[in-house]
Amino acid sequence: MATELANLADDLRLGALQLGLDLSSLQQQQLMDYLALLTKWNKAYNLTAVREPAEMVSRHLLDSLSVVPQAEQGGARWLDVGSGGGMPGIPLAIMFPERNFTLLDSNGKKTRFLTQVKLELKLANVEVVHSRVEQFTPPQPFSDITSRAFSSLEDFANWTRHLSDADTRWLAMKGVHPDDELQALPTDFQLDCCAVLKVPGCQGQRHLLILRRTS
């Protein structure tokens, strides 16, 4: 078991380096602790279809970390919509402890897991909210709204517009470039930029689409 954990830790550290990220010892430990919790709780709560910890390193941890370069340009208040098992919200909260992250999900089992992660990893910059996004009314808008497993870009934009202001960015993590979804965007949204993500250990296409409001 110790050897397996060491190998997973090496995969994480080396993968992060390939992404241009030099993890601190605290960040490395928190990400590994998160992986252990995800593996443990997944057996009962079915948080992800990925079962093998080694696969979780690439498909969950490194995939979430791949957006850090674009996240660096963001603001102080982040919302992760449909956070599920906490991707990308938890890894981003670990990488940016000076920013506040709200992790929103309508599934009670998943928010209970996220609350446990917050407590065990001592993530003071994380708030977990159990709610449907349409019914969520925070006291102030978010600087950045992200999603990794949400539905269409059209729904993502429409269901979160009440959580934004004129400067908000939407960061949507997608697989294949979603041309049809972009065509269906609400008229007051536009694609600001699209980044091709190269995730170590992942074979499929990955894209990050950043949207902004035009009015």
Side-chain angles (χ1 to χ4, degrees), residues 32-170:
M32 288 300 297
D33 289 345
Y34 172 48
L35 176 65
L37 287 169
L38 187 60
T39 303
K40 175 183 176 182
W41 281 60
N42 195 44
K43 294 172 184 175
Y45 275 35
N46 197 28
L47 300 166
T48 167
V50 179
R51 299 295 176 187
E52 293 299 322
E55 197 176 354
M56 288 182 182
V57 170
S58 59
R59 291 184 60 182
H60 291 329
L61 299 187
L62 294 176
D63 187 58
S64 296
L65 294 176
S66 69
V67 304
V68 165
Q70 289 77 23
E72 285 177 342
Q73 304 161 29
R77 285 177 45 79
W78 285 67
L79 173 67
D80 186 20
V81 177
S83 192
M87 289 79 69
I90 293 293
L92 290 180
I94 289 170
M95 297 302 294
F96 298 101
E98 73 285 359
R99 302 180 185 179
N100 295 312
F101 289 83
T102 297
L103 276 51
L104 179 87
D105 204 281
S106 61
N107 184 305
K109 288 184 177 181
K110 292 176 179 177
T111 54
R112 283 195 289 277
F113 167 70
L114 295 174
T115 298
Q116 191 66 25
V117 172
K118 167 185 165 68
L119 293 173
E120 294 204 24
L121 271 58
K122 297 180 172 60
L123 296 175
N125 62 331
V126 167
E127 177 186 13
V128 178
V129 176
H130 177 206
S131 173
R132 293 184 62 84
V133 64
E134 309 96 299
Q135 299 165 350
F136 181 44
T137 54
Q140 61 187 111
F142 292 94
S143 60
D144 301 83
I145 301 175
T146 187
S147 176
R148 180 172 180 258
F150 210 67
S151 52
S152 68
L153 292 177
E154 180 183 15
D155 288 343
F156 183 35
N158 280 327
W159 293 353
T160 59
R161 64 167 68 242
H162 68 288
L163 306 171
S164 68
D165 61 19
D167 298 320
T168 299
R169 299 190 311 164
W170 283 258

Side-chain angles (χ1 to χ4, degrees), residues 10 20 32 38 43 49 77 91 114 141 172 187 196 206 208 212:
D10 283 344
M32 288 300 297
L38 187 60
K43 294 172 184 175
R77 285 177 45 79
L114 295 174
T187 56
V196 177
R206 299 293 290 150
L208 176 67
R212 288 187 183 272

